[in-house]
Every structure is written in structure tokens, then in C-alpha cells.
Amino acid sequence: MSEPIKKVSIVVSKGSLEGVYPGLIMANGARMEGIEASLFFTFFGLHAIVKKKMEKLKVATVGNPALCVPDAMGFPMPTILGAIPGMSAFATHMMKKEMDKLDIPPVGEFIEMISDAGGEIFACKATVDMFHLKPEDFCPQMDRVLTVGEFYELSAGSQIIFT
Amino acid sequence: MATKELAGSSVEVNEEGYLTDRTQWNEAVAAALATEEGIELSDEHWKVLKFIESDFAEKQAVPGMRRLNKVGGIPTKDLYRLFPGGPIKKAARIAGFPKPASCV
């Protein structure tokens, strides 16, 4: 049998709800299996750890041909309808409701849970500079701002997962 | 499936070491399962095990991390401290329940 995974570094680069949650679920799931985990938030993924943005992430309804109504087995939604005002908010509302039923926490609570579980939360320096973000803009669980080089150093021995 | 001697009683376990018949579970069995995980059960551990037991009776499932926090009132940090290296999996096994089937 091959060696079990000991450490994962998960890169979250997208700021949509469906872009952020897979990374959070995989990081938390890793900790629950006794695997070391860190999350590296870059580009719009950084919104997930910015206090004023983290609870306002939305499902992307534009340019998402996989969307169906009301669920994956329902009618495919014509992509042009995704551009109607309020569609993204509506899809987000529906998805959050389903997630809550499964006890999947809101972003802020999830980040706190991962941090309490010993997972590390990093922000990408290039993005922090690009978006003019200050330390006080981040949730308190954000451990450090890292350059890509530092991220690779800290990921030594890790499986790096890009979501 | 295999039969195993634990704390003087004979129990059925699956290939991952989870009890397959909860009626064979008792506190001494729990203590023996905990020892296998390198854990010595304290009152704090028992609080977690008791909550899993009562919640399982209600939901027919091992509670996830968030339910343990919100409903059971047990902080994440405590769970990782009490059951290092996989809190819910280990607590469920010690409590005599199946391997948890939830992603969170």
C-alpha cells in the first residue's frame, strides 16, 4: 500500500461561493483525517478571508453552463438567464440553504473552525498589494501574508491542491 | 469482519476496527478502544462520547464537527485536543458507532 497523505496545501483562487467552498471543505476534511492542512488565498479567492467580503460571496450564474433548476438533475438553465439581476443572489440563497441542511457552516465560521482545528490560513502577498488590503481588513484567523516563494517553502512535503 | 477480545468481552469489528454490533459496547470496551488510540478517557472525553450516543439515537448518524460545536457545545479546539489526529473518527470508534459518513 502507498504512503498515506500527511500534509496538504490548498490554493483558493476564485471568489465565487462555489470557488471557495471546495477548498474549505477539503482543508477541514484533511484536519479531520489527521492530515496537516494550510489554505493559501490568492486573487479573488482572497475575498474569503476579508472581513467585509467573506459572508457576501455569491454563486456565479454568468458563464456557468452547468447550472440547472432546481438542482443538478433539473432543467438546464439557459446561460443568458444567469445575467438577469438578482439571479446570482437567488442561486446563492438556494445553495446556502442546502448547505445549511448538511451542517456546512457559513464562510466565517468555517474559517474559524479550520483555524481552531490547527489549519493555517495564508494570504497571497501579490494580491494583498494589488487590492490595497491592510492587515485590519482580514479576519483574525489569517495567520500570515506570504509570497509565493514562502508558500512553496512552507509546503515542503505537501500535496499542493489548486481548486 | 472479525471477532476481537476487548476488556474481557468478545466483540465483532469490521476491517477498520469499528464495532458492528453496538449492543456489545460498554464502558470497559470504550476504554479498551481508547487505549488502542493512545487515549485515556477522562470526564471531558466522556462528555463527547455521551453526546455522540444521544445524538445518534436521535439522528441515526454520527454528528459532524459543527453539530458537536453548536448542539453538543464542544469547541473544535477541545475535540482536537481530546482526540488528536482525527477527532470525529476516533470518538465515533470509541463510542462504538460506525465510521462517520459526513464531509464536515
Side-chain angles (χ1 to χ4, degrees):
Chain A
M1 212 169 119
S2 49
E3 276 284 292
I5 294 172
K6 292 198 183 76
K7 189 174 168 188
V8 292
S9 296
I10 300 168
V11 181
V12 177
S13 67
K14 297 181 191 77
S16 55
L17 198 72
E18 77 279 15
V20 164
Y21 266 98
L24 301 184
I25 291 174
M26 290 184 71
N28 182 63
R31 291 302 303 131
M32 282 172 38
E33 291 296 314
I35 298 169
E36 275 184 64
S38 66
L39 280 161
F40 184 68
F41 293 92
T42 184
F43 268 79
F44 293 106
L46 206 65
H47 285 190
I49 51 172
V50 170
K51 272 186 289 191
K52 283 187 180 157
K53 305 263 182 188
M54 61 201 306
E55 302 302 351
K56 295 182 179 153
L57 306 180
K58 298 232 168 3
V59 173
T61 50
V62 173
N64 186 354
L67 271 190
C68 296
V69 185
D71 55 42
M73 289 299 125
F75 291 104
M77 190 175 88
T79 53
I80 194 154
L81 295 185
I84 296 174
M87 202 53 102
S88 189
F90 176 69
T92 303
H93 174 74
M94 297 298 283
M95 197 175 281
K96 280 187 171 171
K97 218 168 68 182
E98 292 304 318
M99 289 199 298
D100 193 55
K101 281 187 208 161
L102 297 172
D103 251 330
I104 299 174
V107 175
E109 193 190 323
F110 215 165
I111 296 274
E112 190 183 340
M113 198 194 273
I114 293 166
S115 178
D116 283 352
E120 293 171 303
I121 313 289
F122 300 127
C124 160
K125 183 167 190 310
T127 316
V128 170
D129 294 345
M130 182 170 68
F131 290 169
H132 310 294
L133 289 163
K134 294 179 287 300
E136 60 268 27
D137 294 327
F138 290 97
C139 64
Q141 288 80 20
M142 198 272 281
D143 291 298
R144 273 176 67 192
V145 177
L146 296 183
T147 64
V148 171
E150 287 170 319
F151 167 71
Y152 282 129
E153 275 173 30
L154 288 170
S155 299
S158 275
Q159 307 283 328
I160 297 180
I161 301 168
F162 196 96
T163 63
Chain B
M1 279 233 274
T3 306
K4 192 161 144 182
E5 287 298 318
L6 275 182
S9 51
S10 163
V11 295
E12 298 284 326
V13 293
N14 67 12
E15 56 285 352
E16 290 181 295
Y18 289 82
L19 259 58
T20 53
D21 179 358
R22 183 121 202 304
T23 62
Q24 296 175 336
W25 182 91
N26 58 46
E27 297 200 354
V29 168
L33 289 166
T35 306
E36 288 183 354
E37 300 281 6
I39 295 165
E40 197 186 326
L41 295 179
S42 65
D43 288 350
E44 273 187 289
H45 291 96
W46 275 109
K47 190 184 162 207
V48 179
L49 302 179
K50 294 282 180 200
F51 175 73
I52 292 177
E53 187 173 31
S54 65
D55 202 57
F56 195 94
E58 189 188 324
K59 294 269 180 182
Q60 299 305 307
V62 173
M65 190 60 78
R66 191 181 189 214
R67 216 174 144 74
L68 279 156
N69 296 163
K70 297 272 167 197
V71 186
I74 307 151
T76 306
K77 278 185 183 168
D78 289 356
L79 287 164
Y80 279 89
R81 176 171 54 80
L82 296 167
F83 302 94
I88 296 183
K89 252 170 66 172
K90 289 188 178 178
R93 194 170 93 83
I94 295 166
F97 290 106
K99 187 175 178 176
S102 151
C103 288
V104 285

